[in-house]
Amino acid sequence: MEYIKIFTQLIASQLHLPEHAVANTLKLLEEGCTIPFISRYRKERTGGLDEVQITSISDRNERLKDIQKRKETILKTINEQGKMTTELQQRIDECWELTTLEDIYLPYKPKRRTRAQIAREQGLEPLATLLLMQREPNPERAAQRFVHAGGSPADASAALAGAQDIIAEQVSEDERCRNQVRSAYRREAFIVSKAVKGKKDTDEAQKYSDYFDWEEPLKRCSSHRLLAMRRGESEGFLRLQLTIDDDEAISRLQRLYVRGNGRCQHLVAEAVEDGYKRLLQPSIETEFMNLGKERADEEAIKVFAENLRQLLLSAPLGQKRVMGVDPGFRTGCKVVCLDAQGNLLHHEAVFPHPPVNHRMQATIHIQQMIRDYHIEAIAIGNGTASRETKEFVDDALKEMAQGKPAPTIFVVSEDGASVYSASKAAREEFPEEDVTVRGAVSIGRRLMDPLAELVKIDPKSIGVGQYQHDVDQSKLKHSLDQTVESCVNLVGVNLNTASQHLLTYVSGLGPVLAQNIVDYRKENGAFTCRSQLKKVPRLGPAAYQQCAGFLRIPDARNPLDNSAVHPESYHVVEQMAKDCECSVDDLIQKKDKRDKIDLQRYVTTEVGLPTLTDILKELEKPGRDPREQIEEFEFDATVQTIEDLREGMELPGIVTNITNFGAFVDIGVHQDGLVHVSQLANRYVSDPTQVVHLHQHVRVRVIGIDLRRQRISLSMKGI
């Protein structure tokens, strides 16, 4: 309990939040409440903290728990050595910074057998102490007393060398020395990247050519550059190093240890230099390389999570009868027809493109499928042959009978569709179909509801990050899982149509309860009210409390079951309706009834104004979808390949990926172009997401074409 109080104070101080809000949030998290549930339904207890703040509290709490565990290990080790003192115990108890904690522990940390350890075993520690006192006029003569005939050390010079090894290790473990060298790295460290000899001219190395002879201050090195260099190093094309002014660093350390000018002082100065070069400098360089990597990982994960959020919250078409097309040249276009619920009705392959060129036959088949399955929209994957397939389908629609509205065509990102088609989830959904059919189904369903379909795919396979395979994988997974959970609960889930994968991310559920809900639905038919959830096996009161508000039942007997109003607050709405002398349905339908409600009348110790305000907003538009409306898009018909591009051209495009250094835009030439962050607007842009979002339709100007490296430079300035 003492630690909860300390954690509360530390987190409140670090995040500049009220202590009572942090304490209540930590208590709710300990009780098993999810972040979406706390932010949506426990505003009174948290003081209205949002999801980002609650996530930060949760993450810092976990970090402090890890530090506490580390402390317990450290205390146990030092106690076992019999070296614990009251002062040392107090320093460890009061320390909540991991680097400082490790510095305190370093002299007591069990090590492999070092040179200093060997010297201590030879009984040379008193000689090292004598040298450090710097009062002995003839250290060689003093060292003679430590020489062992026929043993080690064999002579005075070997004894002095052993004593210097002890001093060198002492310097490397001295907190003052470590902090001084850290300060130097923090202020002035440069990261230097060089090409590995013999590999510079290989084709594989060319993507790292910018870093063949590169150096810049570490503190200014952006996350994407650091991750690119580290990838180049791991692939064997680059050699990285952090540098500071070593002579200045050694001089500063010697001033801490050396007093005066004599033989002892000279030996101590040598030991300090050795301690720096052999032990301290490599240790701090590794520490700063790791710190730089951690910061780069955090930025890259943040970018990935934001991109994933935008992708998951992409505009849905809704429940329409859709044709999904996975385009291809040699293997043909895989075509599927889906009903309004996304169920597979029909599939076949057509071959309108070279080398087969059965365009007329393909046209007849496409037109027949559109008529037979009453297709309302067509989703075409954006991979190989995408533009050619869209033109073919356009022509097929023009040739159909006039008068009837033609299906609308949308080009859909197919990143990750192949991963899904070979996954266990796809095999369970379509055990009789091959991977090509499953991939086309995924493309069609993504148009209908991107969120419901993309949750089935590992986020790393969706292709919206930067260097996602180079960052800390456990941190990446944690962040992406939180993002998916946040998006699913923000939108809400149809209890009667949601897949097991989508239900898994609903607050309080998880894979087992999600599967139990699907099984219950199969056995008992559609849910007619939220309270039926209590009959689902293993779904107890705690899980019901966490999940109920995020599950929707369209056309339920109680209209509140299709809203974000939590069942625990139904009695409040019913009292409002009673006071307005109308039904709950009337309260939702009639604005004049809602306008008469005085929220202050319904404030209690359990239900405060924040919850009441949310309830009233929800009654205005129950179950509203926070996502935008979908838009049609057309590429420039005159541009088909990178060879068609000319500098100065203005073209329409779709934002496909956002990084710290800019945005990638598909302009229809099978190679995305880059709008560098400096070209996004006529003003300084620190964060590209302030200007663009994923799948946004933009206009860009071509400002550079590198045919050799297949790179296109674009600008949005002045457009």
Side-chain angles (χ1 to χ4, degrees):
M1 292 301 291
E2 183 62 31
Y3 290 126
I4 293 174
K5 188 177 178 184
I6 293 169
F7 288 4
T8 300
Q9 291 168 346
L10 287 167
I11 294 169
S13 171
Q14 290 165 359
L15 298 178
H16 309 292
L17 294 172
E19 274 191 32
H20 70 89
V22 174
N24 286 341
T25 302
L26 289 175
K27 191 174 180 189
L28 287 164
L29 288 167
E30 289 296 323
E31 290 169 2
C33 296
T34 67
I35 292 171
F37 177 81
I38 296 169
S39 67
R40 184 74 175 82
Y41 297 113
R42 292 295 180 264
K43 290 181 178 176
E44 284 82 358
R45 288 183 63 181
T46 68
L49 297 183
D50 60 28
E51 268 196 36
V52 175
Q53 291 168 314
I54 295 167
T55 301
S56 296
I57 291 170
S58 175
D59 289 347
R60 284 175 192 258
N61 185 47
E62 291 305 313
R63 206 173 305 155
L64 288 170
K65 282 181 180 177
D66 289 340
I67 292 174
Q68 180 56 35
K69 283 180 191 170
R70 182 65 179 148
K71 279 187 183 188
E72 288 166 8
T73 303
I74 288 170
L75 289 168
K76 185 183 174 197
T77 305
I78 298 174
N79 276 317
E80 284 172 355
Q81 294 172 9
K83 295 180 180 177
M84 184 60 72
T85 65
T86 306
E87 183 191 359
L88 184 58
Q89 174 89 41
Q90 187 177 348
R91 284 200 69 199
I92 293 170
D93 286 343
E94 292 175 357
C95 179
W96 293 100
E97 211 282 309
L98 198 55
T99 304
T100 306
L101 186 64
E102 294 297 343
D103 278 355
I104 295 169
Y105 178 46
L106 194 55
Y108 310 95
K109 191 175 184 178
K111 310 174 184 70
R112 58 181 174 76
R113 203 155 170 264
T114 63
R115 281 161 48 173
Q117 190 74 31
I118 294 165
R120 288 190 186 96
E121 289 167 7
Q122 293 171 354
L124 295 174
E125 194 144 25
L127 181 57
T129 305
L130 194 68
L131 291 181
L132 281 170
M133 290 171 69
Q134 300 171 48
R135 294 175 189 163
E136 180 61 51
N138 192 336
E140 280 79 6
R141 187 172 59 198
Q144 198 64 44
R145 300 199 302 270
F146 296 89
V147 174
H148 301 286
S152 294
D155 52 35
S157 62
L160 288 172
Q164 284 180 303
D165 287 340
I166 293 171
I167 295 169
E169 188 170 275
Q170 192 173 321
V171 168
S172 75
E173 293 177 350
D174 186 330
E175 280 186 67
R176 295 175 305 162
C177 297
R178 296 184 74 82
N179 285 330
Q180 196 168 92
V181 176
R182 271 194 198 102
S183 294
Y185 269 86
R186 208 171 284 119
R187 284 193 317 270
E188 61 191 64
F190 271 74
I191 184 162
V192 179
S193 171
K194 302 282 185 188
V196 172
K197 286 181 182 177
K199 295 196 175 181
K200 191 172 181 178
D201 299 322
T202 61
D203 290 340
E204 295 89 352
Q206 290 310 303
K207 57 186 172 183
Y208 301 112
S209 59
D210 291 344
Y211 305 109
F212 283 170
D213 189 13
W214 176 273
E215 72 171 59
E216 68 175 315
L218 179 64
K219 60 186 175 186
R220 290 192 201 147
C221 183
S222 63
S223 67
H224 62 270
R225 285 201 297 275
L226 182 60
L227 289 170
M229 286 187 269
R230 287 186 67 105
R231 180 184 284 182
E233 183 182 44
S234 68
E235 291 180 5
F237 300 118
L238 302 176
R239 189 178 66 257
L240 300 188
Q241 185 184 4
L242 288 185
T243 64
I244 59 170
D245 186 337
D246 289 333
D247 293 338
E248 176 61 25
I250 291 165
S251 177
R252 285 173 181 271
L253 294 180
Q254 286 173 338
R255 286 200 288 274
L256 289 175
Y257 276 86
V258 181
R259 297 180 299 279
N261 187 19
R263 181 66 183 143
C264 267
Q265 285 84 349
H266 177 71
L267 290 168
V268 172
E270 280 182 351
V272 171
E273 183 174 349
D274 175 52
Y276 171 80
K277 288 183 176 176
R278 183 167 55 86
L279 302 169
L280 185 50
Q281 187 269 342
S283 169
I284 301 298
E285 180 180 0
T286 301
E287 182 183 306
F288 269 76
M289 274 291 197
N290 291 339
L291 279 172
K293 170 72 164 54
E294 277 181 33
R295 279 196 294 270
D297 281 5
E298 280 176 19
E299 284 189 44
I301 289 170
K302 185 180 173 186
V303 168
F304 200 141
E306 179 54 35
N307 283 352
L308 179 63
R309 175 177 292 278
Q310 291 181 17
L311 192 63
L312 293 174
L313 296 179
S314 297
L317 178 69
Q319 292 192 325
K320 306 269 187 181
R321 299 173 75 87
V322 169
M323 174 182 284
V325 184
D326 185 357
F329 287 115
R330 184 181 55 81
T331 56
C333 298
K334 277 65 70 181
V335 184
V336 298
C337 298
L338 309 174
D339 67 15
Q341 283 71 46
N343 298 311
L344 177 62
L345 303 174
H346 174 78
H347 68 82
E348 64 180 88
V350 297
F351 297 84
H353 309 309
V356 181
N357 269 327
H358 288 169
R359 194 176 181 89
M360 180 62 71
Q361 186 183 30
T363 300
I364 294 168
H365 280 253
I366 289 286
Q367 291 171 341
Q368 191 61 46
M369 282 186 274
I370 290 170
R371 282 191 288 264
D372 288 351
Y373 298 101
H374 311 289
I375 297 300
E376 298 170 272
I378 300 172
I380 299 173
N382 68 343
T384 305
S386 175
R387 286 197 68 177
E388 293 80 358
T389 301
K390 184 178 183 302
E391 288 167 9
F392 154 69
V393 174
D394 268 331
D395 291 343
L397 293 179
K398 286 173 190 170
E399 292 175 20
M400 289 186 75
Q402 301 298 311
K404 290 185 179 179
T408 310
I409 302 173
F410 298 91
V411 176
V412 177
S413 168
E414 60 181 54
D415 283 332
S418 59
V419 174
Y420 162 75
S421 63
S423 69
K424 182 172 179 280
R427 290 196 302 273
E428 287 173 353
E429 278 194 276
F430 304 104
E432 306 300 322
E433 310 299 347
D434 68 18
V435 291
T436 59
V437 174
R438 297 171 193 158
V441 170
S442 181
I443 288 168
R445 285 177 173 177
R446 283 186 196 197
L447 176 62
M448 299 166 74
D449 190 342
L451 178 61
E453 194 60 24
L454 290 171
V455 293
K456 301 173 187 174
I457 303 169
D458 180 351
K460 286 189 294 181
S461 303
I462 298 175
V464 292
Q466 58 176 26
Y467 303 103
Q468 60 260 40
H469 301 293
D470 301 311
V471 302
D472 184 304
Q473 295 301 293
S474 61
K475 287 182 181 175
L476 177 63
K477 185 179 186 309
H478 176 67
S479 174
L480 298 185
D481 284 348
Q482 279 188 334
T483 302
V484 176
E485 182 183 35
S486 169
C487 292
V488 168
N489 290 290
L490 174 69
V491 172
V493 169
N494 185 328
L495 181 54
N496 286 322
T497 60
S499 68
Q500 186 255 350
H501 302 91
L502 189 57
L503 288 166
T504 295
Y505 288 101
V506 172
S507 165
L509 293 183
V512 174
L513 289 179
Q515 187 60 54
N516 289 355
I517 288 173
V518 172
D519 293 342
Y520 182 89
R521 211 165 57 194
K522 283 179 186 172
E523 290 171 20
N524 301 280
F527 287 88
T528 56
C529 62
R530 278 173 171 166
S531 58
Q532 278 180 281
L533 281 163
K534 296 174 183 176
K535 297 178 183 177
V536 173
R538 299 179 66 179
L539 202 155
Y544 178 75
Q545 182 196 52
Q546 296 296 308
C547 74
F550 302 103
L551 296 167
R552 311 275 188 270
I553 305 175
D555 306 317
R557 289 196 297 266
N558 186 340
L560 296 178
D561 282 347
N562 192 35
S563 75
V565 177
H566 197 282
E568 67 189 10
S569 298
Y570 282 9
H571 69 282
V572 178
V573 181
E574 287 159 4
Q575 187 61 49
M576 288 176 177
K578 187 178 178 183
D579 292 344
C580 291
E581 299 179 344
C582 67
S583 66
V584 171
D585 249 332
D586 288 338
L587 204 58
I588 292 170
Q589 301 294 333
K590 298 175 181 176
K591 184 176 182 296
D592 61 316
K593 297 283 187 187
R594 296 194 302 274
D595 288 344
K596 292 177 184 175
I597 295 171
D598 176 11
L599 294 182
Q600 291 291 347
R601 286 182 59 189
Y602 304 98
V603 174
T604 66
T605 51
E606 288 82 28
V607 183
L609 269 178
T611 295
L612 292 168
T613 305
D614 282 349
I615 288 172
L616 206 55
K617 279 183 188 171
E618 191 60 26
L619 293 177
E620 289 172 17
K621 291 182 180 177
R624 66 190 181 282
D625 194 321
R627 295 172 288 184
E628 295 177 353
Q629 293 295 308
I630 197 164
E631 297 175 354
E632 293 181 57
F633 177 83
E634 289 280 349
F635 286 119
D636 189 309
T638 63
V639 174
Q640 301 285 335
T641 68
I642 192 170
E643 285 79 14
D644 295 334
L645 297 177
R646 299 290 179 271
E647 286 189 19
M649 276 184 170
E650 285 193 14
L651 301 166
I654 299 175
V655 177
T656 57
N657 198 2
I658 301 171
T659 68
N660 276 347
F661 54 87
F664 287 93
V665 176
D666 182 0
I667 52 175
V669 295
H670 309 296
Q671 178 62 52
D672 290 355
L674 172 66
V675 183
H676 190 267
V677 65
S678 61
Q679 295 293 327
L680 281 170
N682 290 322
R683 56 182 172 81
Y684 173 73
V685 177
S686 60
D687 178 4
T689 58
Q690 295 170 350
V691 181
V692 290
H693 58 81
L694 273 183
H695 292 178
Q696 181 179 341
H697 299 170
V698 295
R699 284 196 68 80
V700 293
R701 184 187 305 107
V702 180
I703 58 173
I705 308 152
D706 183 342
L707 291 174
R708 180 170 170 267
R709 295 202 288 177
Q710 291 285 291
R711 289 187 179 180
I712 306 163
S713 299
L714 305 171
S715 175
M716 287 170 55
K717 280 186 172 181
I719 299 179

